[in-house]
Amino acid sequence: MRRSSAVPLVLFASAASSLAAVSTLAAPGQPLKTGTPGQFEIVGNTLVSAQQLFLGTENKVYIVDKTENNPTQINQHPAWASEYNVDTNVARPMDVLSNSFCAGGGVLGNGTWMNVGGNQAVTYQGATAPSQLGGPPYDDLDGGLAFLDVCANDDNCNWVDNPALYMSTRRWYPTLETLEDGSIMILGGCLWGGFVNAASQNNPTLEYFPPRNGGTPIGLNILTTTLPANLYPITYLLPSGNIIIQTNFGTEIYDYKNNVEHTLANIPHAVRTYPASGATAMLPLTPANNWTATVIFCGGSNIKPDQWVETWHIAQYTADKTCVRMTPDVSAVWEDDDMLPEPRSMGNFILLPDGTLFMTNGAMTGVAGYGVNISWSIHDSYADHPITAPLIYDPGAPAGSRFSRAGLANSTINRMYHSTATLLPDGSVIIAGSNPHPDYTVGPNIEYPTEYRAERFYPSYYNKRRPQPQGLLSQLSYGGSYFNVTLTKDDLAGDIGNIQKTKVVISRTGFSTHAMNMGMRHVELDVSYTATADGATLHVSQLPANSAIIAPGPALCFVVTNGVPSVGKMIMLGNGQIGQQPVTTPQKLPVSSIPAGVGSGSSSGSGSGSGGKNAAGRVFDGKTAVIAGAVALVSSAAALVMV
Ligand SMILES: *[C@@H]1O[C@H](CO)[C@@H](O)[C@H](O)[C@H]1NC(C)=O
Ligand SMILES: *[C@@H]1O[C@H](CO)[C@@H](O)[C@H](O)[C@H]1NC(C)=O
Ligand SMILES: *[C@@H]1O[C@H](CO)[C@@H](O)[C@H](O)[C@H]1NC(C)=O
Ligand SMILES: *[C@@H]1O[C@H](CO)[C@@H](O)[C@H](O)[C@H]1NC(C)=O
Ligand SMILES: *[C@@H]1O[C@H](CO)[C@@H](O)[C@H](O)[C@H]1NC(C)=O
Ligand SMILES: [Cu+2]
């Protein structure tokens, strides 16, 4: 790839109501649209290529593209960003001046979104511009920092670049990880761009936003030992407060508070980072697994460090089909998981509110990236044989049966390099992008053109009547008093017994780019219930008393009954400010109760979480323990049930 340089760019967007007092939310209603479960639908036009994408408000998705020749204009130059309204399917171009080519992103604890990193100003076909201070043809700028307050109340907000907040070093392909205090760690990247990283332009450091140390970058050894495929290192803040970093074949636990790196065994079978680009996610954190984190990596490509050269036909090289997972805070060893049905690079996992993971996008051969005038590329693309068939991964299913395609139709759109996806509040997924080109490229002879069509995918629950819970809160604390949410018999699908299969799920949808959603996380709150013959009250704990389980900032809140989610509400986690979060002891939940003869039974729900329950207590990864708190005698069909 003949990319030029990388200069930091940060774009901001504040979401949700940060400092507002906690309020009780109106009950969510039903989805505004219909869709066919298991199918994709083409819904609109993103105006720019969706290289980066995130859900900023309940109905607005923000898209940021690299500098390129999109036909849509704004302020006398092509648009490189848009705001896509998922209710109306109308996109509004937004102005971005600096070149946000292959940025990372995330959301701060006060609700402000960041888009970090980028490229030098370019002219057509991604060639470096003669001036980095603006000028023809695009009048774009060398990267910088920009801010946006997302349009919570109107449609007039804009990105704002702020050179005063530039990072101290150049980062092309950085990763962002939101921390326990709502600040953000920015890791890695390279200085000038290219297909992969190289010692000559590596940036083996991290820094924080807001800056710590006066902004001086901190060295990170793993980024010196994992060249060249160590761009966009895959990171997850763990409940222990450490960070797992996986990049190229290397893996470590990083104790960032003490700046100590603990090297782990290499990841088996394949490279999962860009350009191999495996799918990755943290599995749901639930009361049943004691909010213990397991991370999963699927697909990618088994390419050795000396093979990342453009002198062989990478586009026809078969991708990897293995999945591996690790539960780093408990046992930092790799375990093989079920294999993908076919090899896949650039698959993108999306956590659904029912606790399953949806996988979309990608290709069976080749890798991410593109090259100009590379003899073997497919009209620039370094991947071929796109996969349009989605998958559902159920982490709670027995090994050997976790992947399923039952009831799922294929998409009609090939989506490979520079594709994105995010969960929406109605439980559908929006999918956009694919642009394996240095510039906007369409035409009858182009195999994999620049793609502007946005699609929605409708999971199996989509058309079921959604619960309409009363009493959800606009803001949750770490620990503290529980609150009550009421559900009618209709909300419980006509069976009061479904209260025993009702969950409250907090879902951070994350910042989607390059087959990963940075910050994506699914946390189930602890609950108990008081049921009557007519309805039920769900007693809902606040967030677990540990902000490393899910960092402060905006997230969606769903009530999920027997696998059917309510429409999600955008709420604030924590106090809405960047800084150490107040943590208090969780109030004990009332003992669950359900009248004798009410409801159809007491079996635990399926399709979510990674643990199960039995009459002796909660089962965590094979270990059995009783958690202090709600333990109930349930006098329905089964005699004794722990809740
Ligand atoms: C969030 O914090 C950042 C860093 O201090 C600041 O630039 C931004 O304006 C804040 N956003 C809000 C909504 O207060
Ligand atoms: C759950 O995790 C917490 C924090 O790691 C730990 O203190 C507690 O003992 C665990 N509980 C069980 C039942 O394993
Ligand atoms: C690619 O090849 C064409 C035709 O040979 C040439 O005109 C063009 O300058 C080349 N582009 C690059 C970026 O090398
Ligand atoms: C859907 O995709 C799968 C996997 O790529 C393929 O085997 C199947 O033939 C496709 N189905 C249709 C109807 O195109
Ligand atoms: C929640 O419901 C329980 C029992 O149904 C009741 O005792 C308690 O006062 C309620 N709490 C709040 C905060 O309303
Ligand atoms: Cu890229």
Side-chain angles (χ1 to χ4, degrees):
M1 208 157 344
R2 304 297 168 241
R3 289 168 170 167
S4 47
S5 73
V7 166
L9 166 70
V10 179
L11 305 168
F12 283 88
S14 78
S17 50
S18 49
L19 293 169
V22 182
S23 61
T24 301
L25 300 171
Q30 300 299 311
L32 294 179
K33 66 192 305 299
T34 55
T36 309
Q39 294 195 15
F40 292 82
E41 179 190 9
I42 297 168
V43 290
N45 181 319
T46 56
L47 302 183
V48 304
S49 180
Q51 184 181 278
Q52 286 109 238
L53 172 152
F54 63 89
L55 180 72
T57 72
E58 286 175 3
N59 67 354
K60 296 195 186 89
V61 165
Y62 290 88
I63 295 171
V64 183
D65 194 0
K66 67 184 192 289
T67 298
E68 61 185 313
N69 206 8
N70 295 312
T72 300
Q73 300 278 309
I74 186 164
N75 296 336
Q76 289 80 52
H77 63 78
W80 306 307
S82 68
E83 175 191 74
Y84 187 95
N85 183 314
V86 297
D87 293 340
T88 62
N89 290 306
V90 173
R92 171 176 74 94
M94 298 180 80
D95 203 6
V96 168
L97 295 178
S98 38
N99 183 5
S100 176
F101 182 27
C102 299
V107 65
L108 290 160
N110 65 2
T112 290
W113 286 84
M114 298 175 71
N115 185 88
V116 178
N119 195 4
Q120 281 190 322
V122 295
T123 71
Y124 300 119
Q125 300 301 322
T128 305
S131 166
Q132 294 298 307
L133 303 170
Y138 289 145
D139 213 22
D140 56 323
L141 298 179
D142 199 350
L145 306 184
F147 294 80
L148 168 74
D149 289 319
V150 295
C151 304
N153 305 309
D154 58 41
D155 292 326
N156 299 319
C157 57
N158 289 299
W159 292 104
V160 181
D161 277 292
N162 184 351
L165 293 175
Y166 281 19
M167 291 182 290
S168 50
T169 54
R170 307 172 75 85
R171 296 184 191 275
W172 185 80
Y173 278 90
T175 294
L176 271 69
E177 185 70 34
T178 308
L179 304 173
E180 297 97 312
D181 65 353
S183 67
I184 283 184
M185 179 185 288
I186 305 165
L187 306 86
C190 66
L191 304 181
W192 307 106
F195 179 37
V196 288
N197 206 349
S200 57
Q201 61 148 335
N202 194 11
N203 186 346
T205 69
L206 64 90
E207 60 192 279
Y208 296 93
F209 189 87
R212 299 183 190 178
N213 277 344
T216 309
I218 298 161
L220 197 59
N221 191 53
I222 190 172
L223 295 177
T224 67
T225 58
T226 51
L227 287 166
N230 70 359
L231 298 173
Y232 280 140
I234 298 167
T235 63
Y236 293 99
L237 175 66
L238 297 167
S240 60
N242 293 323
I243 292 176
I244 181 169
I245 303 179
Q246 200 299 302
T247 181
N248 203 343
F249 287 101
T251 310
E252 72 173 26
I253 301 292
Y254 180 46
D255 170 0
Y256 77 92
K257 290 153 190 120
N258 298 303
N259 194 26
V260 178
E261 299 175 62
H262 303 278
T263 303
L264 303 179
N266 279 354
I267 195 166
H269 315 306
V271 177
R272 319 289 173 163
T273 37
Y274 164 90
S277 295
T280 181
M282 179 181 281
L283 300 184
L285 297 151
T286 69
N289 63 29
N290 194 23
W291 299 283
T292 304
T294 296
V295 293
I296 185 169
F297 302 82
C298 287
S301 193
N302 184 9
I303 296 183
K304 305 294 183 219
D306 63 358
Q307 294 178 305
W308 289 106
V309 288
E310 289 141 305
T311 52
W312 61 287
H313 202 335
I314 299 174
Q316 299 308 326
Y317 182 66
T318 302
D320 176 75
K321 64 189 292 189
T322 64
C323 292
V324 293
R325 54 195 230 179
M326 184 191 274
T327 304
D329 284 341
V330 175
S331 166
V333 296
W334 293 111
E335 288 171 42
D336 284 331
D337 202 342
D338 290 4
M339 294 236 207
L340 295 169
E342 62 269 307
R344 194 155 178 153
S345 165
M346 295 176 282
N348 195 157
F349 268 134
I350 299 296
L351 288 160
L352 298 179
D354 67 358
T356 63
L357 286 78
F358 170 67
M359 188 191 284
T360 189
N361 302 342
M364 264 188 283
T365 65
V367 295
Y370 55 75
V372 180
N373 289 356
I374 300 289
S375 61
W376 50 260
S377 74
I378 319 295
H379 298 127
D380 307 335
S381 173
Y382 282 5
D384 200 2
H385 303 98
I387 304 174
T388 56
L391 277 171
I392 294 285
Y393 173 84
D394 183 348
S401 60
R402 291 180 184 150
F403 282 106
S404 164
R405 263 190 184 134
L408 305 183
N410 292 2
S411 168
T412 54
I413 301 179
N414 298 323
R415 297 198 195 265
M416 303 193 294
Y417 190 44
H418 288 154
S419 298
T420 43
T422 184
L423 176 68
L424 296 178
D426 70 355
S428 68
V429 176
I430 190 166
I431 303 127
S434 195
N435 184 25
H437 302 284
D439 205 335
Y440 171 69
T441 304
V442 296
N445 301 319
I446 305 299
E447 191 89 26
Y448 305 124
T450 304
E451 185 58 69
Y452 290 153
R453 288 174 294 174
E455 272 173 303
R456 294 272 278 266
F457 172 80
Y458 305 101
S460 59
Y461 49 69
Y462 194 77
N463 285 349
K464 298 197 173 145
R465 185 196 181 275
R466 308 301 187 88
Q468 302 190 158
Q470 302 268 2
L472 292 175
L473 301 181
S474 62
Q475 196 163 356
L476 296 177
S477 57
Y478 295 97
S481 306
Y482 74 84
F483 58 99
N484 289 336
V485 168
T486 54
L487 293 158
T488 63
K489 195 167 179 176
D490 280 349
D491 294 331
L492 297 166
D495 179 357
I496 299 291
N498 278 329
I499 193 67
Q500 296 163 339
K501 304 177 194 171
T502 298
K503 296 166 178 181
V504 178
V505 167
I506 305 302
S507 184
R508 179 158 291 139
T509 50
F511 180 97
S512 185
T513 192
H514 291 79
M516 60 205 282
N517 285 37
M518 297 179 190
M520 181 173 69
R521 205 166 277 221
H522 173 121
V523 173
E524 193 187 314
L525 303 181
D526 214 354
V527 295
S528 69
Y529 54 81
T530 304
T532 69
D534 307 319
T537 298
L538 198 63
H539 312 296
V540 185
S541 288
Q542 302 276 339
L543 297 164
N546 172 5
S547 62
I549 289 174
I550 185 165
L556 293 175
C557 176
F558 296 91
V559 172
V560 185
T561 293
N562 198 18
V564 180
S566 65
V567 170
K569 300 297 290 181
M570 186 77 84
I571 65 165
M572 179 58 75
L573 311 185
N575 65 3
Q577 290 172 288
I578 299 171
Q580 191 175 353
Q581 296 296 302
V583 175
T584 50
T585 305
Q587 184 187 6
K588 201 170 177 234
L589 288 172
V591 170
S592 289
S593 70
I594 186 166
V598 167
S600 62
S602 55
S603 57
S604 59
S606 63
S608 73
S610 50
K613 298 172 185 178
N614 67 14
R618 295 175 192 250
V619 179
F620 317 100
D621 296 316
K623 288 172 293 183
T624 301
V626 176
I627 294 187
V631 174
L633 288 175
V634 180
S635 53
S636 59
L640 177 66
V641 177
M642 313 299 276
V643 179

